[in-house]
Amino acid sequence: MDGNLYALSAPTADAFSDFCGSNAGGPHETCVSLAAIPGTEACFAVRDGKPEGAGKELRFTGNELDDFATGWVRTRGLTL
C-alpha cells in the first residue's frame, strides 16, 4: 500500500457493522458504520447512516482510529 487508503477497493455493504444511536428500531439514520478495508491488515472505512451521507466514507488506519477513539472517550468522560 502506498499510503492512499482511497485507492484501495471499498468494503462490500455486508462487511459493515452498524453502531446506532437513538432510533435503534428505526431506519438506521443515526448509525455510524465501520468495516475493514479488504487487503489491509488494519485499515477501516467509516460511513454515516443518514441519507445525506449515502455513498460517502472516510478511511483510516487502525492507529488513527485508535487515537480518535481513546481521545473521544477521554474528552467525553466515558468509561467502559
Side-chain angles (χ1 to χ4, degrees), residues 24-39:
H28 293 276
E29 289 186 5
T30 60
C31 297
V32 174
S33 301
L34 176 75
I37 297 174

Side-chain angles (χ1 to χ4, degrees), residues 31-52:
C31 297
V32 174
S33 301
L34 176 75
I37 297 174
T40 66
E41 280 191 38
C43 296
F44 302 90
V46 179
R47 301 189 303 197
D48 182 353
K50 294 177 201 64
E52 301 82 5

Side-chain angles (χ1 to χ4, degrees), residues 18-31:
D18 291 337
F19 300 90
C20 299
S22 61
N23 71 341
H28 293 276
E29 289 186 5
T30 60
C31 297

Side-chain angles (χ1 to χ4, degrees), residues 5-75:
L5 298 179
Y6 292 91
L8 301 172
S9 297
T12 59
D14 63 339
F16 282 85
S17 296
D18 291 337
F19 300 90
C20 299
S22 61
N23 71 341
H28 293 276
E29 289 186 5
T30 60
C31 297
V32 174
S33 301
L34 176 75
I37 297 174
T40 66
E41 280 191 38
C43 296
F44 302 90
V46 179
R47 301 189 303 197
D48 182 353
K50 294 177 201 64
E52 301 82 5
K56 300 173 188 172
E57 64 184 33
L58 298 173
R59 295 183 176 198
F60 301 95
T61 65
N63 287 339
E64 290 169 333
L65 275 182
D66 290 348
D67 186 53
F68 167 77
T70 55
W72 177 255
V73 167
R74 184 177 49 254
T75 300

